[in-house]
C-alpha cells in the first residue's frame, strides 16, 4: 500500500515506518520535526508540514494518492498539557480535524490513530480492556479521547474507516540498536534511568512510593516499540471495509513497578542506579495494565518482547549507540 505516516520522525512513528517498509509498503512521512528527528528517517520522503496549517496540508495532499494514513503526530507531555491546554487542543484535536478533512478531500479512506491508555483515567479493574470506562484525568488524555470521538462520528457519515490503537507505555529500541527514543525533555522512566546511569541525564527521581501496590511504586504495562510497530502493520492491513470504527488496547498484560523497572535497567547497565523519592505526580494512577486480548484475536497480534529485561537491554544498546554514533547528549 501507499501510506502516509504523520509523526513518522518521532519515536513510535519511526519504528513503525521501518516495519512498514520491511513489510513492502511505500511510505511517505509528514512531520513538522517539532519533537521528531530527520536522522530517524531512512528510505522515505519527508513532507515538512504542520498539521495545524490546513491550507498547506491540503496543498500537499492534493493530487497525491495514498491508500491510508497512520497518524502518530501529537504533543504528548502530560505536564505541558496542563500548563498549555490550548496548545494541546490545537495540535492534537485541530491538527487531526485538519488531517481528516484533507483525507476526505483527497479520497483517502483509512486512518490508524495513536491513542493512549490516558483516555481511561483511574482504572476501575486490574486489566483494562476496550470496554473500560473512559474518564481521562489530564488534558493530554482528554485531547486523545476527543479525537477518538471525532473519528467515530466521521466513520458514521463519510465512508471512512478509523482504528484507534491505545498504547500503554511504549519502551525499548529496535534490534539493530540504531533507532530508539530521544525526547527533550524526556519524561519516560527507562531512558531517564539509563541516562542517570550513564551520567548524561538528570539524577533519577521516583515519583511516590506510597501507592497501594506491592512495593509502593506505580505499576505500568511496558510494550516494546517494535511490537507496537507490528500492531500498526497488522491494523492497516486489516482495514478493508469502509465506514468501520475500531479500537484496540496494546500492552503486554504484565505490570512492572517503577522499582522493578529500575532493577531491570541496573541489570542491563551492570551497575546500581541511584534515585531519590519525590512526591507523587498529579494524575498518575497507581496501576495501569492492558488487556490486549482483542488485538491478539482480531489483529492476530502477539508481542514478541514480553519481558522488562529485554526492553531495558534494547534501550541500553540504543543509549550507547546514540552517545557514541549520533553524539546526542
Ligand atoms: N510514547 C509513548 O509511550 C506513547 C504512549 C501512548 C500513546 N502515544 C502516542 O503515540 C504517538 C507517538 O508518540 P511518540 O512517543 O513517538 O512521540 P514523539 O514526540 O516522539 O513523536 C511525535 C511526532 O509528531 C510530530 N508532530 C507533532 N505535532 C505535529 C504537527 N502539528 N504537525 C506535524 N508533525 C507533528 C513530531 O515532530 C514528532 O515527530 C503520539 O500520538 C502519542 O500521543 C505514545
Amino acid at each position: 500500500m501507499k501510506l502516509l505516516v504523520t509523526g513518522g520522525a518521532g519515536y513510535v512513528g519511526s519504528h513503525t515506518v521501518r516495519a512498514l517498509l520491511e513489510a513492502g509498503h511505500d511510505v511517505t512521512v509528514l512531520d513538522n520535526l517539532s519533537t521528531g528527528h530527520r536522522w530517524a528517517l531512512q528510505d522515505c520522503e519527508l513532507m515538512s508540514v504542520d498539521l495545524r496549517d490546513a491550507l498547506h496540508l491540503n496543498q500537499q495532499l492534493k493530487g497525491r494518492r495514498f491508500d491510508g494514513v497512520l497518524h502518530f503526530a501529537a504533543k504528548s507531555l502530560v505536564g505541558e498539557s496542563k500548563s498549555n491546554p490550548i496548545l494541546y487542543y490545537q495540535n492534537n484535536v485541530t491538527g487531526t480535524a485538519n488531517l481528516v478533512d484533507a483525507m476526505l478531500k483527497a479520497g483517502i479512506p483509512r486512518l490508524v490513530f495513536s491513542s493512549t491508555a490516558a483516555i481511561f483515567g483511574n482504572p476501575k479493574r486490574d486489566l483494562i480492556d476496550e470496554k473500560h470506562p473512559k474518564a481521562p484525568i489530564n488534558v493530554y488524555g482528554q485531547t486523545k479521547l476527543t479525537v477518538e470521538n471525532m473519528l467515530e462520528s466521521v466513520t458514521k457519515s463519510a465512508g471512512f474507516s478509523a482504528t484507534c490503537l491505545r498504547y500503554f507505555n511504549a519502551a525499548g529500541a529496535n534490534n539493530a540498536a540504531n533507532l530508539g527514543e530521544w525526547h527533550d525533555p524526556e519524561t519516560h522512566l527507562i531512558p531517564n534511568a539509563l541516562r542517570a546511569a550513564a551520567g548524561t541525564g538528570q539524577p533519577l527521581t521516583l515519583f511516590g512510593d506510597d501507592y497501594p501496590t506491592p512495593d509502593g511504586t506505580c505499576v505500568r504495562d511496558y510494550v516494546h516499540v517494535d511490537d507496537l510497530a507490528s500492531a500498526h502493520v497488522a491494523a492497516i492491513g486489516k482495514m478493508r471495509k469502509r465506514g468501520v470504527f475500531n479500537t484496540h488496547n496494546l500492552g503486554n498484560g504484565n505490570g512492572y513497578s517503577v522499582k522493578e523497572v529500575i532493577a531491570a535497567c541496573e541489570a542491563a547497565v551492570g551497575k546500581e542506579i541511584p534515585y531519590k523519592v519525590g512526591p507523587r505526580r498529579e494524575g498518575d494512577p497507581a496501576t495501569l495494565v492492558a488487556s490486549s486480548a482483542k488485538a491478539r484475536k482480531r489483529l492476530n497480534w502477539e508481542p514478541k518482547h514480553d519481558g522488562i529485561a529485554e526492553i531495558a537491554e534494547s534501550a541500553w544498546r540504543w543509549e550507547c549507540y546514540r552517545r557514541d554514533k549520533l553524539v546526542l547528549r
Side-chain angles (χ1 to χ4, degrees):
M1 280 195 267
K2 206 166 162 35
L3 300 171
L4 182 70
V5 180
T6 78
Y11 172 44
V12 187
S14 60
H15 286 76
T16 305
V17 166
R18 292 210 184 167
L20 290 166
L21 290 169
E22 273 166 29
H25 297 291
D26 179 335
V27 178
T28 299
V29 167
L30 181 156
D31 205 297
N32 65 358
L33 298 183
S34 53
T35 57
H37 313 283
R38 187 70 187 84
W39 51 255
L41 297 176
Q42 286 173 353
D43 306 324
C44 60
E45 178 196 352
L46 172 65
M47 263 185 201
S48 294
V49 177
D50 189 316
L51 290 175
R52 289 167 294 185
D53 185 346
L55 189 63
H56 191 205
L57 177 63
N58 281 297
Q59 282 166 350
Q60 290 294 312
L61 291 195
K62 200 172 171 192
R64 299 282 302 253
R65 294 243 55 91
F66 290 106
D67 300 303
V69 175
L70 296 102
H71 177 36
F72 296 89
K75 295 224 162 270
S76 52
L77 298 176
V78 169
E80 187 183 53
S81 76
K82 187 181 176 199
S83 58
N84 198 346
I86 296 297
L87 174 68
Y88 274 66
Y89 275 90
Q90 283 174 337
N91 202 78
N92 297 358
V93 179
T94 308
T96 306
N98 289 343
L99 174 67
V100 174
D101 187 42
M103 288 176 67
L104 295 175
K105 286 178 181 146
I108 307 171
R110 52 184 80 82
L111 176 82
V112 177
F113 172 60
S114 298
S115 190
T116 167
I119 65 165
F120 294 111
N122 284 316
K124 302 266 181 280
R125 39 186 185 264
D126 287 349
L127 284 181
I128 301 179
D129 65 10
E130 288 74 9
K131 295 201 177 94
H132 186 282
K134 294 166 203 75
I137 53 174
N138 55 58
V139 174
Y140 164 61
Q142 283 158 3
T143 64
K144 290 284 182 173
L145 182 56
T146 303
V147 170
E148 284 205 9
N149 292 336
M150 175 174 74
L151 293 175
E152 186 168 16
S153 305
V154 178
T155 58
K156 289 202 171 113
S157 65
F160 174 87
S161 290
T163 297
C164 302
L165 299 181
R166 298 150 175 170
Y167 326 151
F168 280 60
N169 286 51
N174 82 335
N175 259 343
N178 59 6
L179 189 60
E181 187 164 17
W182 179 246
H183 293 123
D184 185 16
E186 183 58 79
T187 57
H188 295 150
L189 174 60
I190 294 175
N192 279 335
L194 297 175
R195 282 174 214 173
T200 54
Q202 299 294 318
L204 190 63
T205 302
L206 182 161
F207 298 105
D209 64 354
D210 57 352
Y211 284 95
T213 59
D215 66 17
T217 63
C218 286
V219 171
R220 294 288 179 272
D221 184 331
Y222 293 84
V223 55
H224 194 285
V225 66
D226 278 342
D227 286 327
L228 290 179
S230 70
H232 286 78
V233 176
I236 194 79
K238 268 261 175 198
M239 294 174 73
R240 298 284 170 211
K241 288 194 195 137
R242 297 231 176 182
V244 178
F245 178 77
N246 226 324
T247 58
H248 294 290
N249 292 358
L250 298 180
N252 269 307
N254 298 313
Y256 293 97
S257 74
V258 173
K259 284 186 177 167
E260 286 173 324
V261 173
I262 294 173
C265 291
E266 289 177 331
V269 176
K271 71 177 195 191
E272 202 177 310
I273 301 174
Y275 60 80
K276 63 176 193 226
V277 178
R280 291 183 180 196
R281 280 186 307 204
E282 200 184 318
D284 255 351
T287 302
L288 277 176
V289 181
S291 161
S292 299
K294 186 178 168 202
R296 287 170 195 257
K297 190 166 170 213
R298 296 271 181 83
L299 300 179
N300 203 13
W301 175 69
E302 194 62 50
K304 292 200 170 66
H305 313 264
D306 63 352
I308 195 66
E310 195 185 342
I311 286 176
E313 281 157 20
S314 73
W316 178 240
R317 282 195 300 275
W318 155 248
E319 188 64 23
C320 297
Y321 175 89
R322 183 180 65 70
R323 275 185 297 139
D324 297 345
K325 298 281 195 306
L326 292 173
V327 200
L328 299 167
R329 289 168 204 278

